[in-house]
Amino acid sequence: MEAAMGLMRRIPPKHTDTALSALLSLLPHHSSDLLSQVDQPLQVLCDVDCGKEFILCEYNRDADSYRSPWSNKYYPPLEDGSLPSSDLRNLEIEANEIFAVYCDQYYEGGTSSVYMWEDDNEGFAACFLIKKDGSKTGQGRRGYLEEGAWDAIHVIEVGPEEEGTTNYRLTSTVMLTLTTNNESSGTFSLSGSIRRQMSMRLSVAEGHICNMGRMIEEMESKLRNSLDQVYFGKTREMVCTLRPPSEVAQMRMPES
């Protein structure tokens, strides 16, 4: 299992489904662990009742059906699917409306979904999801990418309230895939994923959504900076070393 998880951490996100299917065939006795621990590229389904898209993940799945955060119904229909309590459902509705605005302002479009459920520690958990298709044929407004996808998964565990404060534990994963194809640069592909965690104890005076929103905003900023340094920075360094710009190349040429 340890070797399988190490392999999945090194697989590009766009090949995750293929690699996971192969591992499930090789390790059927670890199928539940693999499915719960391996983050897969997010998929989208349309809620026909509301006319809105929602994101599919393990946290809104029951059997082979997925619950929409907009209508609170399962697709395909499921009679006895698990549902959040009324108080948690009201919080979920508010979180989806706010997070949709956040997604549009920060990502210039995309699909967002928020799911909440009770946990075993007298608290609750929430999953905030964003999927942005940045390709020319998708939601890419600038038209720079032939293919491009940004999948963000934020899972927050909220502990029970004690003396007006509570503990928040955030686990965030971002999967990035992009491909360019133009005359100046040719075909170039880059993909990778990154995961980080943070815990904070905060006052609940302003509400859970404010606290969770600030944590997600801070974490996404850190993840974007890490991706820029690790993937784009290292790639730029390698390209400039292998193929230095013309000015640098001329300076390195020996004088005749």
Side-chain angles (χ1 to χ4, degrees):
M1 183 63 187
E2 184 178 350
M5 293 303 299
L7 175 64
M8 292 306 302
R9 282 193 292 269
R10 292 164 175 80
I11 291 291
K14 63 181 180 180
H15 299 315
T16 298
D17 291 340
T18 303
L20 182 59
S21 298
L23 286 176
L24 290 173
S25 300
L26 292 172
L27 304 171
H29 50 292
H30 288 302
S31 59
S32 60
D33 293 330
L34 286 169
L35 290 171
S36 62
Q37 296 183 37
V38 175
D39 292 313
Q40 304 177 58
L42 300 172
Q43 304 295 323
V44 175
L45 190 65
C46 182
D47 184 335
V48 294
D49 287 358
C50 300
K52 294 182 178 181
E53 292 183 331
F54 65 96
I55 299 175
L56 314 183
C57 68
E58 284 297 307
Y59 303 104
N60 69 323
R61 183 174 68 88
D62 194 337
D64 293 326
S65 298
Y66 294 87
R67 182 173 66 89
S68 166
W70 307 113
S71 64
N72 207 29
K73 295 180 180 179
Y74 276 90
Y75 294 89
L78 186 66
E79 294 182 359
D80 56 349
S82 60
L83 299 173
S85 64
S86 58
D87 290 341
L88 204 57
R89 173 59 183 160
N90 290 333
L91 190 65
E92 183 183 78
I93 292 173
E94 184 181 0
N96 272 284
E97 293 174 351
I98 295 174
F99 206 54
V101 176
Y102 171 90
C103 179
D104 186 65
Q105 292 182 346
Y106 275 76
Y107 291 89
E108 298 183 349
T111 305
S112 66
S113 295
V114 181
Y115 304 103
M116 297 186 181
W117 64 96
E118 290 85 0
D119 63 12
D120 299 329
N121 300 319
E122 299 182 0
F124 69 93
C127 180
F128 294 75
L129 306 168
I130 291 177
K131 183 173 184 65
K132 174 63 183 282
D133 180 3
S135 63
K136 292 180 180 179
T137 58
Q139 300 154 336
R141 297 181 181 178
R142 304 177 190 273
Y144 294 148
L145 300 178
E146 191 72 21
E147 297 178 3
W150 174 284
D151 295 330
I153 305 171
H154 304 282
V155 180
I156 302 182
E157 300 170 49
V158 183
E161 183 178 341
E162 297 178 2
E163 299 180 355
T165 64
T166 190
N167 189 63
Y168 299 86
R169 185 171 183 267
L170 170 64
T171 302
S172 297
T173 303
V174 167
M175 291 171 281
L176 172 68
T177 300
L178 61 88
T179 301
T180 63
N181 187 9
N182 55 55
E183 295 181 358
S184 60
S185 64
T187 301
F188 173 78
S189 296
L190 179 68
S191 62
S193 64
I194 189 170
R195 173 183 286 192
R196 294 289 185 270
Q197 290 184 332
M198 72 167 12
S199 295
M200 300 180 71
R201 188 161 197 88
L202 302 171
S203 169
V204 296
E206 296 184 0
H208 291 301
I209 293 180
C210 287
N211 291 338
M212 292 188 291
R214 291 194 187 101
M215 290 182 68
I216 291 173
E217 186 176 20
E218 180 181 346
M219 178 63 83
E220 287 212 325
S221 178
K222 292 180 179 179
L223 291 174
R224 281 193 293 268
N225 290 335
S226 296
L227 283 169
D228 181 55
Q229 294 171 7
V230 174
Y231 292 103
F232 295 99
K234 289 296 182 181
T235 301
R236 189 181 301 113
E237 181 181 341
M238 292 175 61
V239 170
C240 290
T241 301
L242 295 172
R243 295 186 176 184
S246 57
E247 296 83 358
V248 178
Q250 291 177 0
M251 293 175 62
R252 292 181 179 177
M253 291 178 60
E255 296 182 0
S256 55

